[in-house]
Every structure is written in structure tokens, then in C-alpha cells.
Amino acid sequence: MKSGANSLPRLALLAVLLALLWGSQAATGLSQGEKNLWRTVRSAQEHLYGWRFPSGGGNADDPWKTGLIGVEWSPTTTTLGELSAKRTACDPLWAVRIARWLDEAGLEPGDRVAILASSSFPGLVLSSIAAAESRGLETLLAVSLGASTWGANSPGHPWPAIERELRQAGFVRAKAAFYTLGGDGEEGGGLSAEGKALLEAAARSSGVPLRVPHGLQEAVTLKQEALQAFGPKFLISIGGSHANLGDDEAILDLPPGLVFPAPGLRGGNGVLGQWLDSGRPALHLLAIEKLALKEKIPVDSPPR
């Protein structure tokens, strides 16, 4: 009995030590390659912040100096958005998670991935590009330029300028194949004439073609034709671009995150839904705070 009684404290101590070890591994469970990816994204953010505010000052809405938080309202703003969601989307851990999703989808170096994005979540666009390039994937990038509040909606720093700066500074290699204006029908619906003119000028200065479809169906067709010509194995859809999601309410039931085709799964009539209908997997990056909680990524917290 005495021996058994003495073993209890030892077992308890062992349990505590194992718990501490497990917690330590969970907290530092990134491979060296993943740590490098995290640092690349974080360094890119710090560079962007210095580029946007070279004389100091800064952005009080961007306390962690990501350089990827816009303004509450501007002529290039399409809809309302949550500031906390925009800051959550800037966490460099998204790049690590996206890279792991790419692995789960079975992608290998040399495979092709399409990134169809809204400018509403520039943090996720950066992380997606960085993750894909870290895995040696070829990318097709197409971005709608109108953005919701606190996205890439600063008139002086729209997505084309951000993308060009990231590329020139050596953080990414990708250059968009084309832009759309975003908004309703991705033809700038809901934007003022001033907002459209600002985005058109930004596209011209970046040397990227601006495609202006006439209505939602033409916008869907435009992106589908681009996918067909590029031949990707995987699709990353970021934000709420009209053509990506379509106007079928079925898209509201599609879970965010990595999605594999399954019987009964409906993704609506947009590019994302039709891609899934074709039997191919996709990454649906929307409802960011909900997805962050599911994936154990801190919500509205400093990068660490």
C-alpha cells in the first residue's frame, strides 16, 4: 500500500510534465519551413507599413503595423466590413494554415492553383500567394479591386499598388493576370464615378489588364474561361467577389475552409460553386472570425 501511495504523486507529476510538454509543442509546432513562411509574411507586412507611412504617423486602426488595413470609408469602398475581421485576416498564421490546406489537397510542386480574390481581405491574399509560392505552385491571380471597409480601400494604396510593392520588394513573385472593378456584377456596381476612375488608374499604373464585364453572368464566364485556360488543380476563393460566390443563396450554406466535393454539397451558381460541382476541391475563405476560431488562429490579436 505504501508503495502504491508513493506512486500517485509521481503519476500526477508525470501527467503535469506531459501536459506541459504537449502545450509547448502545440505553441511551437511549426516546422522550420513554416517558421520561414511566417517570417516572410510578417516581414512583408512591416515593409508595407513603412512604405505606406514613410514619415511616421501611421494608422491607429492597424496597431500591429501590418500595412494591410485600409480606411473606414472612401470612394473605392463597396460594402461594410468588420475591422476585427480585417485585422484577424492579417495574422501570418493564415499563410501556414493555407500551406497545410494545400498539402491536404494533395498539391505538389509544379501544380497550378488559382487565387480569385476580393480586395476586402488583402491579408489573406498575401498569405495565399506566399503559401502557394512556398510550395512551389504556379499561380493564377485575379483580384476584384473594390473593397469593403478597412480592406484595401485606401485611395492612395489600392490592391494594385500593394501587389506591385510586394513584388518589387521581393516578397512575392505573382502578378495578377487581370483585375475587375468589383462591386455588383464586378463592373463597379455601387461605386461612384470617382471610385471607378481611381481603380481604373491603379490598374493602368500596375500594367495589369482591367476587365469590365457587363453583369454577373458575364463576370462568371470571364473567370471560368481564365480557369479553363490556366488549368489549375485547386481554387482559392477569398472574400465575397460577386462572380466568385454568385447570387444563389446556396452559397450561404457552404462551410468556410477547405471544401471537398461531396454528394448533396451545393455551392451556388458562382465560380466557386461551379468549380466544386466539377468534382475539384477548393478553399473558401470567408466568415474569417468563425474560421479563425475553428482553426485556432487568434482573433483580432497581435501576430505572434
Side-chain angles (χ1 to χ4, degrees):
M1 291 292 294
K2 185 175 181 180
S3 174
N6 288 341
S7 68
L8 290 176
R10 294 176 184 173
L11 289 173
L13 178 60
L14 179 60
V16 170
L17 290 173
L18 287 172
L20 289 173
L21 177 61
W22 178 262
S24 174
Q25 289 176 333
T28 60
L30 303 186
S31 69
Q32 188 57 52
E34 290 173 337
K35 290 177 182 178
N36 292 340
L37 176 57
W38 190 99
R39 293 188 186 108
T40 295
V41 173
R42 184 60 182 143
S43 295
Q45 293 176 349
E46 292 169 344
H47 174 84
L48 287 175
Y49 197 84
W51 165 69
R52 288 185 62 178
F53 306 104
S55 302
N59 180 0
D61 293 323
D62 188 10
W64 306 303
K65 300 182 178 181
T66 68
L68 292 164
I69 300 299
V71 295
E72 185 172 6
W73 197 259
S74 76
T76 62
T77 305
T78 53
T79 53
L80 297 175
E82 294 291 336
L83 177 57
S84 60
K86 303 306 170 70
R87 290 198 292 233
T88 299
C90 291
D91 196 309
L93 284 175
W94 284 110
V96 174
R97 190 65 192 93
I98 292 166
R100 292 182 180 181
W101 274 320
L102 294 171
D103 293 342
E104 289 177 47
L107 296 176
E108 298 178 351
D111 285 342
R112 293 185 168 189
V113 58
I115 302 172
L116 304 184
S118 161
S119 293
S120 296
F121 291 97
L124 291 176
V125 184
L126 168 58
S127 284
S128 294
I129 296 170
E133 292 183 349
S134 78
R135 292 301 192 257
L137 305 177
E138 295 185 41
T139 60
L140 169 72
L141 176 65
V143 183
S144 59
L145 300 184
S148 57
T149 48
W150 291 294
N153 67 335
S154 172
H157 302 90
W159 174 257
I162 293 172
E163 180 191 313
R164 184 174 64 248
E165 183 64 25
L166 288 169
R167 191 170 55 252
Q168 290 178 347
F171 291 107
V172 301
R173 298 186 301 276
K175 182 177 182 179
F178 63 90
Y179 298 133
T180 64
L181 288 172
D184 292 341
E186 301 210 27
E187 57 184 325
L191 290 172
S192 66
E194 178 188 3
K196 292 179 184 178
L198 286 167
L199 295 177
E200 289 166 357
R204 279 196 305 272
S205 66
S206 70
V208 173
L210 178 67
R211 306 298 188 202
V212 185
H214 299 289
L216 175 59
Q217 187 53 56
E218 190 171 315
V220 171
T221 300
L222 167 69
K223 293 189 177 183
Q224 286 179 325
E225 290 176 348
L227 293 177
Q228 185 175 6
F230 185 66
K233 292 180 64 175
F234 190 75
L235 172 65
I236 300 176
S237 174
I238 302 172
S241 294
H242 202 181
N244 293 10
L245 303 187
D247 59 3
D248 185 340
E249 291 187 357
I251 191 65
L252 301 176
D253 297 325
L254 191 68
L258 181 61
V259 184
F260 289 96
L265 180 72
R266 296 178 61 239
N269 60 356
V271 178
L272 175 58
Q274 294 184 34
W275 174 273
L276 291 168
D277 288 344
S278 72
R280 292 170 289 183
L283 185 55
H284 178 35
L285 295 178
L286 200 65
I288 296 307
E289 289 177 296
K290 176 182 177 181
L291 187 58
L293 289 171
K294 177 184 175 184
E295 300 298 333
K296 307 296 189 295
I297 293 177
V299 173
D300 202 6
S301 299
R304 60 184 183 272

